[in-house]
Amino acid sequence: MILTHDDWGRIIALLAARDGDIAGAEDAVAGAVERALHTWPSKGIPQNPSGWIYRTALNMRRDVWKSAAHRTTVELDSEVHETAQPSVRLDFDELPDRRLQLLAACAHPDIDPATRPLLMLSAVLGLPTRRIAEGMILPAATVAARLTRAKKKIATKGLQMYMPDRSELPACLSSIHEAIYGVFTIEWANAATDLREGVAGEAVYLSELVSTLCPDDGESHGLAALIHLSVARFNARRDPDGALVPLDDQDPIMWETSHVAKGEWHLREVHRCGEVGRYVIEASIQALHMQGVRTRKPNWHALLRQHDHLLTLAPSLAARVSRAAILQHVEGAAAALDALSCLPKAAEGYQPAWVLRSHLYRAAGRDQDAISTLERAMTLTTVISEHEHLAKLLNRWKQRV
């Protein structure tokens, strides 16, 4: 792989910050990667591959800026379209702020609100369309069409790329929050070793940055709390063989205390702000679950109340499935199965719903239904560790039938 998703998004952010043309920046990076594939095998991989890609892509953008066709539509700006030779080394220290600038630009009022997080995930955070579609539970064709329309609109309007001041940032926060959490959840399942090395690690940083820039915004603290509490459990979520370990079976000793403390601090900041939103509730649910694992006495009624509150504020398929899982412990498997039967058609392709349904069937003594449902769930995941976990579970269930 020539570029990681992380490097791709950072370089796109640097290039697009000059003229607001995200599609043009993506084309330039793609062209630079293609050039690398042709030149590196014979000339060798440069000492700083990302810097080489950035320099080459920037030169391609300069060719566009200097072209006669471009000058007929866009006034040449010496500060934006400067022609000095770039440094060979890419200074990554300045990039996170550039990426936040680009996230804010993607939340421009001329962009459809439903498309803004998709655009952020694609152009700024470097996720492919297929992964975005899976994470957002949308058809890939729908995501691709929305992204194409948005990028054309940005290129046509030439949106300004700048860091909003404190008075402007709140208008962008909802979409920025959704993109940061979206990339975190999408990448979470695929991070194999060190979470900090990938795009998910960047989501941790961006959530902290946004909460620092907006210290009185409760949802920004809620998002940071949710991500920190999730990251705290990263080392405990797989066994030595790499198999998935569900939260209820994790060893709290393996949780990273620094992230737990940071998450709890952000939740205290929420109380100071006096604002409760979707991410605050999800972080509270996470904290309640973790407390239940520590004490081995989960407070299922409190968890159910939090899920009811979440569905009132931010109804979603994931929240409904999660509530059904809690409902099992409060009212029994039959009530939980009834809740799942009321899910919309989109749930047919939602893997967590099938996993939960299989457990509920088994709890209700319907072993054959449990096995066939779990087999269906296995066909809906592409995450190796998750598939292996379900395969082991399926094998145990078959042996006991």
Side-chain angles (χ1 to χ4, degrees):
M1 180 182 292
I2 291 179
L3 280 182
T4 66
H5 292 319
D6 200 25
D7 289 345
W8 173 279
R10 292 181 176 207
I11 294 174
I12 292 291
L14 267 187
L15 295 173
R18 295 171 177 267
D19 65 352
D21 187 352
I22 294 176
E26 287 186 315
D27 288 342
V29 175
V33 170
E34 183 179 4
R35 187 171 298 179
L37 290 173
H38 284 91
T39 60
W40 289 3
S42 59
K43 295 185 178 180
I45 299 176
Q47 185 175 4
N48 182 9
S50 298
W52 190 98
I53 295 293
Y54 171 65
R55 183 180 71 250
T56 303
L58 180 57
N59 285 337
M60 289 181 174
R61 291 302 293 150
R62 287 189 178 118
D63 290 341
V64 173
W65 296 329
K66 291 185 290 184
S67 69
H70 189 78
R71 288 201 300 271
T72 60
T73 57
V74 179
E75 182 179 355
L76 195 66
D77 186 326
S78 60
E79 293 186 1
V80 173
H81 306 125
E82 51 87 11
T83 57
Q85 290 297 314
S87 169
V88 173
R89 188 177 187 279
L90 180 60
D91 184 3
F92 273 49
D93 291 340
E94 70 175 88
L95 296 187
D97 285 353
R98 290 290 190 186
R99 297 183 79 178
L100 188 56
Q101 289 176 1
L102 193 54
L103 288 173
C106 291
H108 193 281
D110 285 346
I111 302 298
D112 175 49
T115 303
R116 294 170 192 169
L118 307 181
L119 187 61
M120 294 175 187
L121 290 169
S122 172
V124 187
L125 297 169
L127 293 182
T129 300
R130 177 184 59 80
R131 293 275 293 283
I132 296 172
E134 291 174 356
M136 294 298 188
I137 319 177
L138 290 170
T142 300
V143 173
R146 290 181 184 177
L147 289 173
T148 298
R149 288 195 297 269
K151 290 173 185 178
K152 286 182 178 178
K153 182 174 287 188
I154 289 176
T156 301
K157 292 182 175 292
L159 302 183
Q160 292 294 314
M161 310 297 296
Y162 67 96
M163 173 69 78
D165 61 30
R166 297 294 177 88
S167 65
E168 295 173 287
L169 192 55
C172 308
L173 281 179
S174 177
S175 295
I176 290 176
H177 289 160
E178 188 172 352
I180 292 173
Y181 188 57
V183 74
F184 179 79
T185 55
I186 291 169
E187 288 294 292
W188 167 263
N190 296 279
T193 54
D194 191 343
L195 191 67
R196 293 166 294 183
E197 293 178 354
V199 179
E202 188 72 7
V204 177
Y205 171 81
L206 288 171
S207 70
E208 276 294 319
L209 178 60
V210 171
S211 66
T212 300
L213 292 172
C214 304
D216 296 322
D217 180 69
E219 271 290 77
S220 293
H221 286 292
L223 175 61
L226 178 58
I227 290 179
H228 275 291
L229 291 175
S230 298
V231 171
R233 300 184 291 101
F234 183 77
N235 291 329
R237 70 175 191 149
R238 290 182 181 172
D239 65 20
D241 295 326
L244 187 68
V245 179
L247 172 57
D248 291 342
D249 297 328
Q250 290 177 8
D251 182 355
I253 295 177
M254 296 183 66
W255 295 345
E256 192 167 337
T257 56
S258 62
H259 280 294
V260 174
K262 195 68 174 178
E264 292 174 347
W265 179 85
H266 279 292
L267 281 177
R268 289 194 294 273
E269 286 296 288
V270 169
H271 292 294
R272 178 184 63 79
C273 297
E275 177 185 359
V276 176
R278 167 196 170 186
Y279 297 108
V280 172
I281 297 173
E282 291 194 25
S284 299
I285 290 173
Q286 183 88 254
L288 277 171
H289 267 301
M290 294 171 72
Q291 180 64 18
V293 173
R294 287 194 198 96
T295 62
R296 298 185 180 181
K297 295 180 179 179
N299 190 334
W300 299 116
H301 286 86
L303 283 165
L304 186 61
R305 288 194 298 271
Q306 289 288 349
H307 278 83
D308 289 339
H309 195 183
L310 177 61
L311 283 171
T312 300
L313 285 179
S316 68
L317 178 57
R320 292 180 67 175
V321 172
S322 182
R323 182 188 183 278
I326 302 302
L327 190 62
Q328 174 193 7
H329 299 280
V330 178
E331 298 183 14
L337 283 168
D338 286 343
L340 289 181
S341 68
C342 297
L343 293 178
K345 188 175 181 179
E348 293 179 4
Y350 188 54
Q351 192 256 9
W354 289 94
V355 173
L356 175 59
R357 188 177 284 110
S358 69
H359 283 280
L360 294 175
Y361 280 145
R362 193 160 189 275
R366 298 167 58 178
D367 292 341
Q368 290 300 331
D369 288 334
I371 289 173
S372 61
T373 304
L374 191 60
E375 289 174 336
R376 168 63 172 158
M378 291 175 62
T379 68
L380 295 174
T381 182
T382 57
V383 179
I384 295 175
S385 62
E386 195 171 81
H387 191 277
E388 291 177 346
H389 168 71
L390 295 179
K392 290 180 179 179
L393 187 62
L394 180 63
N395 186 54
R396 289 201 302 269
W397 287 4
K398 286 184 175 179
Q399 290 176 351
R400 296 174 183 175
V401 173

